[in-house]
Amino acid sequence: MRQVFTHINNNRSATKRTPLFWLLAFCMLPFIGLAQEATMAVSVDTTQIRIGEQIQYSFTVEADTTDLVHFPEGQTFSPLEMVEAFTTDTVKANGRMTLEKVYALTQFDSGAYTIPPQRIQINEKAFMTDSFRIAVGTVAVDTTTQKMYDIKGLQEVSKGPWRIWGLPWYIFFGIVLAVLAALAFGIYYFFFRKKQLTEAEKEALLPPYDRALLELKRLENSRYIIQDEYKKYYSELTDIVRSYLEEEVNVSAMESTTDELITKLEMMADAGSLDLENDTIKQFKQVLQTADLVKFAKRKPESSVAEQDRKHIEHIVVKTKEAIPEPTEEELQQTEAYLAELAAKRRRNYWIYAGVAGLFLILAGLGIAMAKYGATYVKDTILGHHTKELLEEKDWVSSSYGFPPVHISTPKVLVRQKVELPAEAKAAILDVNAFMYRSSVGLFTVGVISNTYKAETEPDFQGAIEGLLAELESKGAKNITTKQDEFTTQAGVTGAKCYGSGKFAVPESDELIRGKYAVYLFGGKGFLQQVMITWLDGDEYAEEIAKRIEGSIDVKTE
């Protein structure tokens, strides 16, 4: 089938042509001759297929290279389903272009279907194609060789792994453990690990006696005497011995003058707390006096004298070490207790630092999560929220329920319900198919009902809504508000929508709970289809679930 669309503006008025008009017309002749009409052809490769087979629906447009051509987009071929839209094939020659667009269509129910007219837009002008009649046949089954089996009943399917933040629980906890391990390693590395000490740190940890001898040895190997830097030499020499006396003898030596320090040592020797000979103290006094002359009077001693003074200080350090009485057992116990208490204090400080660091990381993570997702979402993720878990189900169930079928996508599969019809209803209703999922917590429910009537009459949406509200009130619902609108599915099927709020009863509570509901009604001659959703008022996750289910509804009204 080939359709050609042309559009030529032609003014047939008999008005008088002015010379200017004929001049303009003559000038436009070359351009009129160049302008060509756009043509379009549409075709299908076959009008008969079997269930699940595909047809090729093709558009061929020939137009100028400057023309803008728009092909159909989305599921515009219903009741056939578009499987794939192939890339547009373009061929250009002599200022013209030929565009070919192919769509793969299919259908999974047998019957005769009509592909509706499709809209093609060329240069912002719309053109409609003709419709096509497609016959979809069933697949023949050889019952002589193929055994027939009864329909199997419903079976429980094991639930998938519990999810947190959209991740399976084992992956989530694996990430948490990895973060905790990294945190523990960081705490150990920065707080508990025995760090490699520098030479200066190792020297600082030496006992005062060993450190003093080491520093005197270093002073002996220095170049102060060779470079005539006696002031630096004697300054370091006296600092070494004064520091040693402060740490080992517990005398304030660094801030004392020479006379004050010697007086303190003599008093300690007289008291018996320091068994130091008078000759040693006099020798020490002489070295300190020489150092004072060098530092303050700029005296320059002989190099041999400077070297001899260093040896005298070394002798004084050794003698002082020997003069210190051995600590008593009580003093040793006090020292050990002090060291143990000091170690315990350090351990407590380490744990306090680690706890503060861990708490900071946790609070920082919570703050970032709240800033990005909101406090309510973070709280519900940590503490758990049933409808949030339903919304984040990775594999929603897309299925058709009842006959005539209602196709929807839900977080959980709907389970068939047994329906006992009253005697008065059996006179009018031929069959009822009911399916439902009800959350174990709260008010969230999803239900699908398909009613087939004995008489092929048009469905009464208003009567069905009134019956539904009456049924809710009979079960204890109160303060029901209702609104009604026309509702159209994505496939273009029109029905009715009834929605509102109220107070509803739930099995696990004696009190009425504030909730919302939405009912979608469709139907044709002799049947009525209903989809009903209820949820707790203020439950944002349930609101999103309801919107997602609403967008998935697909029905057939023939």
Side-chain angles (χ1 to χ4, degrees), residues 543-558:
E543 293 267 6
E544 293 187 35
I545 294 175
K547 291 179 181 178
R548 186 170 170 181
I549 293 175
E550 178 184 285
S552 70
I553 296 175
D554 187 20
V555 298
K556 297 186 182 300
T557 56
E558 294 182 0

Side-chain angles (χ1 to χ4, degrees), residues 234-402:
Y234 275 95
S235 294
E236 285 194 18
L237 183 63
T238 54
D239 286 344
I240 291 171
V241 69
R242 285 173 180 270
S243 177
Y244 167 73
L245 292 174
E246 277 205 355
E247 293 184 70
E248 197 74 275
V249 186
N250 295 323
V251 60
S252 56
M254 297 297 294
E255 299 176 358
S256 301
T257 63
T258 298
D259 292 338
E260 289 174 346
L261 178 57
I262 296 301
T263 301
K264 291 176 183 178
L265 293 177
E266 290 174 344
M267 292 176 62
M268 293 178 69
D270 294 340
S273 60
L274 184 64
D275 189 13
L276 198 62
E277 297 178 354
N278 290 330
D279 293 342
T280 303
I281 295 176
K282 290 179 180 179
Q283 192 178 56
F284 182 37
K285 182 177 180 181
Q286 184 179 355
V287 174
L288 291 179
Q289 289 175 344
T290 302
D292 290 340
L293 292 174
V294 172
K295 290 189 291 183
F296 303 112
K298 298 183 179 180
R299 180 180 174 181
K300 183 179 177 181
E302 296 293 333
S303 59
S304 58
V305 174
E307 179 62 27
Q308 192 65 31
D309 286 342
R310 187 199 63 77
K311 292 180 180 179
H312 288 329
I313 290 297
E314 184 175 344
H315 176 73
I316 291 167
V317 169
V318 174
K319 287 296 183 179
T320 304
K321 176 66 175 177
E322 296 173 353
I324 298 173
E326 294 292 330
T328 64
E329 184 176 351
E330 183 179 354
E331 290 175 341
L332 290 174
Q333 290 177 353
Q334 290 178 351
T335 303
E336 291 177 359
Y338 172 76
L339 293 176
E341 182 181 355
L342 186 62
K345 184 177 180 180
R346 288 174 179 171
R347 286 194 296 270
R348 286 196 301 271
N349 290 337
Y350 285 152
W351 284 114
I352 291 173
Y353 296 151
V356 170
L359 181 62
F360 173 77
L361 291 177
I362 292 172
L363 293 178
L366 288 175
I368 294 172
M370 288 181 182
K372 185 175 182 179
Y373 302 105
T376 302
Y377 182 87
V378 174
K379 175 182 71 68
D380 293 337
T381 300
I382 297 174
L383 302 180
H385 195 286
H386 188 66
T387 51
K388 179 178 179 294
E389 294 171 3
L390 289 177
L391 177 63
E392 294 175 349
E393 280 283 347
K394 183 178 180 181
D395 299 320
W396 275 40
V397 179
S398 296
S399 184
S400 296
Y401 299 93

Side-chain angles (χ1 to χ4, degrees), residues 464-532:
I465 293 172
E466 292 175 357
L468 171 66
L469 297 177
E471 178 68 16
L472 292 175
E473 290 177 349
S474 69
K475 293 182 178 180
K478 294 182 180 180
N479 302 332
I480 300 176
T481 62
T482 180
K483 297 180 181 180
Q484 297 182 31
D485 287 327
E486 186 179 88
F487 179 78
T488 304
T489 67
Q490 291 187 353
V493 180
T494 301
K497 176 182 178 180
C498 174
Y499 58 99
S501 62
K503 291 187 175 181
F504 304 95
V506 292
E508 63 268 14
S509 175
D510 296 332
E511 298 181 359
L512 296 179
I513 297 177
R514 187 76 181 175
K516 293 184 177 181
Y517 70 93
V519 184
Y520 307 86
L521 301 101
F522 306 91
K525 290 186 177 181
F527 66 91
L528 176 67
Q529 302 155 305
Q530 301 177 59
V531 177
M532 183 173 183

Side-chain angles (χ1 to χ4, degrees), residues 72-86:
E73 297 181 358
Q75 297 290 350
T76 63
F77 303 94
S78 181
L80 268 68
E81 179 180 346
M82 184 184 73
V83 178
E84 183 178 3
F86 296 97

